[in-house]
Structures are given as C-alpha cells and as structure tokens.
Amino acid sequence: MTSTIPSSIPDTMSGIVLTGHGDTDKLHYRDDLPIPILSNQDVLIRVAAAGVNNTDLNTRLAWYSKKEADSTDASWSGQALSFPLIQGADVCGIIVAVGSKVNPKRIGERVLIEPCLQEANGETLNPPGYFGSECNGGFAQYTKVADRHAYAIQSDLSDSELASFPCSYSTAENMLSRANVCAQDRVLISGASGGVGSAAVQLAKARGAHVIAITSASKRQALTDIGADQVVTREDDLVSVLGENSVDVVIDLVAGEQWPTFLQVLSPGGRYAVSGAIGGAFVELDVRTLYLKDLSLFGCTVLAPNVFQNLIHYLEQGKIKPLVAKTYSLKEIVQAQEAFQKKNHLGKIVLTVATR
C-alpha cells in the first residue's frame, strides 16, 4: 500500500536529469518529470534548496569506477547506475505528503535529508547507498526519502544556508567521530577551504581541538576567520613547517602526492581519517611507517549512528555557521558545477528550487 498524493501537488515537476556518464551535456533540465511515488515508509518533500557536491561531479564523470572507461562500478556503492538519474544529496525542504505507515503529523515539517541511506524505495540497502546516487535525489521540485532519513530542523537559517550542511558537515563529523577527535588534539585538515574541509575546521574547534588547516595562500584569512589556529599552504613542506610527529589526527580529503607526509607528521599512535581523494586516488605507503608508529587509518563513508542527529543539534544550538559561497537557480546547474570545479570558493555552492 502506498500513499495518496494531495490534489494540491501537481502531477509533474521540473528537475535536472543525468542521462549518462560524461560531461555537462549529460545534464538536462526537464519540466515533465513525474512526481515521486511513495512507499509506505516514505515522505514526499518539496525541495527548497539543494547543495552541489564532489559526489555529483564524481558520479557524472564515472570517477568512482576502478575499471578504466567502465561504468559497471561507477557509483558511490560500486554498482552500475540506472539512468536517467536525478542527483543532489544536500536537501532542505518541507514534507508535503507521507506514506501510509508514517505519522501524518510530519506534514509541514521543515527537514534536512540524511544523505547516507540505509533504506530507499521501501528496501533496506546493504551496503548503504547515497541520496542522488542509488536513488533519485534533490535536484528537482519534489523528492522522496525514507521517513527515518528526513530530520526535522528548527532554525532561523535560510533554506540555502541549511542546504549547505547535510553532506559536507555529516561527512566531516563522521570523520572526526571515527578518529575520536577530542579537546587538545592537534588536528591537521587537508582541503580545508572546501565544503567538507571547512566543516571539519568548525566541528573540530567545537570539540576543543587545535586546528591546522591546509589551503591556498589566498584563503588563509578566511580559514582563520572560521576557527583555524594555524594555516599552511598547499605548497608548504609539512614536515619542515610542522615537524615530524607533530599532530595527533589527520583529516584528509585530498590524498595525492603529498600523502606520505601526512603519516610523517602524525605522532606515534596518531589517527588518520580519509573521505576524499581530490588530489589523486593512488598514494605511496611505506608500511614500516604505519606499523612502527602504531598508526590507525580510517576510511569513512557510511555515517556512524547518531552523527546526523548530532549535526541537527549543533545547528539548532547555533554551534556551527553556514558558509554559502554562491547560489544558482536549478536551471543554472551547469554554471554551478563549472564554478564548483574551479575551487575558487570557500564553503558551499547551492541551487535554489522554485516550486509551482
């Protein structure tokens, strides 16, 4: 049994569909997309704003594939994608309808969607999937998600500001949680001016850590303004500037050629957490460094329990602040992704969604 969509909601909607792996010519704006059909446990959300992420571009470009020029494993979960696909993992919106097994009192709630999904289309996902990858996401006027993944939020922040949080901040909080970051830890954060990196700076400071951010020279002051205690540039030699065995935790979103130095600057017993590889996916590891220094390495993808609820609490208590670099309309998704790829911004790029 499924829900009945209220007559006030149109039969079709506008949105962006990805028609295959490739360049931005695979992104198409359409105004004849069907409204999502709800399962018993789903909620229908009228989307107000949706953030742009590395995941969107990586999925489009088949970057996740470990087989060159092969799309059979080019998704977040390592499975082939089904096209056309509506992407968009970061969503702020209003619940406008619910499935038959969802409390109807939820209608009218302002919500953020937890992007790491344990359930989609009425089925448990094993392994978990990602919103806008293993199922349609938020680059449309309406979207659906399992009730358990729609979190009510009480906040004075705008829709665009709230849409800057779900993916980046939950990813950052998950990395900090896995690495057990606590007060007085010295934490080194790569890619600190990006969405996840800038989130990690704020969230690490909220835990009382000493934060060292890696960014470009032009963004030094901006990172200091959001809480970084020390800023080093991408061109700096970390061992020379920081010293060997000088940090307790590395939060890495870059990897690439600089990767071996991350282990050099980690102190014995240090922790390394990674959730991105924008600088290059293949790195050189001296296993002797790993075991002689008793290091712990954490790959972070699936959100640990309570991570997203913790994020909601931080927001409602005003402990973290939005960093919205620029907003675009849904029709301007190509311009938004091109701006995102240039990496000249601090924080998030967000698409605003107009409803009928």
Side-chain angles (χ1 to χ4, degrees):
M1 181 179 180
T2 57
S3 73
T4 301
I5 302 297
S7 59
S8 59
I9 297 173
D11 296 329
T12 59
M13 65 180 183
S14 300
I16 303 294
V17 294
L18 178 68
T19 58
H21 296 295
D23 208 337
T24 54
D25 61 349
K26 298 295 185 180
L27 296 168
H28 298 272
Y29 180 85
R30 288 174 48 183
D31 58 10
D32 61 347
L33 299 173
I35 296 294
I37 298 173
L38 305 187
S39 71
N40 293 335
Q41 301 287 358
D42 286 338
V43 297
L44 182 68
I45 296 169
R46 184 176 68 242
V47 178
V52 175
N53 289 292
N54 272 315
T55 295
D56 307 322
L57 277 70
N58 290 343
T59 298
R60 172 168 58 78
L61 296 170
W63 183 86
Y64 291 113
S65 176
K66 295 181 180 179
K67 308 168 187 175
E68 187 174 353
D70 192 332
S71 62
T72 60
D73 66 339
S75 73
W76 187 87
S77 66
Q79 304 297 317
L81 292 178
S82 177
F83 298 106
L85 174 70
I86 299 173
Q87 294 184 283
D90 275 333
V91 173
C92 175
I94 303 291
I95 294 178
V96 294
V98 299
S100 60
K101 293 185 178 180
V102 179
N103 189 338
K105 292 183 178 180
R106 294 214 66 186
I107 294 175
E109 285 184 357
R110 192 186 195 197
V111 296
L112 294 179
I113 291 178
E114 179 182 28
C116 183
L117 303 178
Q118 304 284 342
E119 179 183 343
N121 299 318
E123 298 181 356
T124 300
L125 299 181
N126 186 18
Y130 215 71
F131 195 63
S133 178
E134 280 61 47
C135 66
N136 283 331
F139 289 161
Q141 291 178 312
Y142 294 89
T143 192
K144 70 171 182 177
V145 73
D147 173 61
R148 65 194 282 192
H149 293 303
Y151 284 71
I153 178 77
Q154 301 292 328
S155 174
D156 293 330
L157 295 175
S158 70
D159 296 325
S160 295
E161 289 173 325
L162 286 175
S164 72
F165 286 106
C167 183
S168 295
Y169 282 75
S170 64
T171 299
E173 176 66 12
N174 193 47
M175 296 173 77
L176 296 170
S177 296
R178 291 288 303 279
N180 194 29
V181 172
C182 55
Q184 282 73 58
D185 272 338
R186 288 175 57 84
V187 180
L188 176 66
I189 300 172
S190 71
S193 62
V196 179
S198 57
V201 170
Q202 291 190 66
L203 291 167
K205 285 304 296 181
R207 290 169 177 247
H210 178 92
V211 175
I212 307 165
I214 304 175
T215 188
S216 60
S218 64
K219 296 174 182 175
R220 181 186 298 272
Q221 187 58 50
L223 269 296
T224 301
D225 291 343
I226 66 170
D229 297 288
Q230 182 178 353
V231 179
V232 296
T233 71
R234 300 182 187 120
E235 292 73 29
D236 288 335
D237 183 305
L238 294 180
V239 176
S240 297
V241 173
L242 302 178
E244 288 205 34
N245 306 325
S246 59
V247 302
D248 303 294
V249 179
V250 170
I251 299 296
D252 186 21
L253 303 155
V254 176
E257 293 183 0
Q258 192 180 41
W259 194 84
T261 63
F262 291 148
L263 301 197
Q264 283 184 265
V265 298
L266 273 173
S267 61
R271 294 96 73 196
Y272 167 92
V274 62
S275 189
I278 59 175
F282 295 93
V283 299
E284 183 176 296
L285 168 64
D286 185 334
V287 175
R288 294 168 297 183
T289 303
L290 176 62
Y291 74 79
L292 289 173
K293 294 178 72 170
D294 288 300
L295 302 178
S296 297
L297 275 58
F298 301 96
C300 304
T301 294
V302 178
L303 297 188
N306 301 320
V307 162
F308 205 78
Q309 188 62 66
N310 289 343
L311 174 59
I312 296 295
H313 289 325
Y314 285 139
L315 285 169
E316 293 183 335
Q317 295 166 9
K319 291 185 176 181
I320 49 177
K321 299 185 182 299
L323 292 170
V324 177
K326 191 171 182 180
T327 61
Y328 294 81
S329 71
L330 194 59
K331 285 185 176 181
E332 296 175 309
I333 188 169
V334 172
Q335 296 96 308
Q337 290 198 358
E338 288 174 346
F340 184 93
Q341 283 184 292
K342 291 177 181 177
K343 303 296 182 185
N344 292 328
H345 60 286
L346 174 66
K348 293 285 291 190
I349 289 174
V350 178
L351 301 177
T352 56
V353 183
T355 56
R356 297 177 185 177

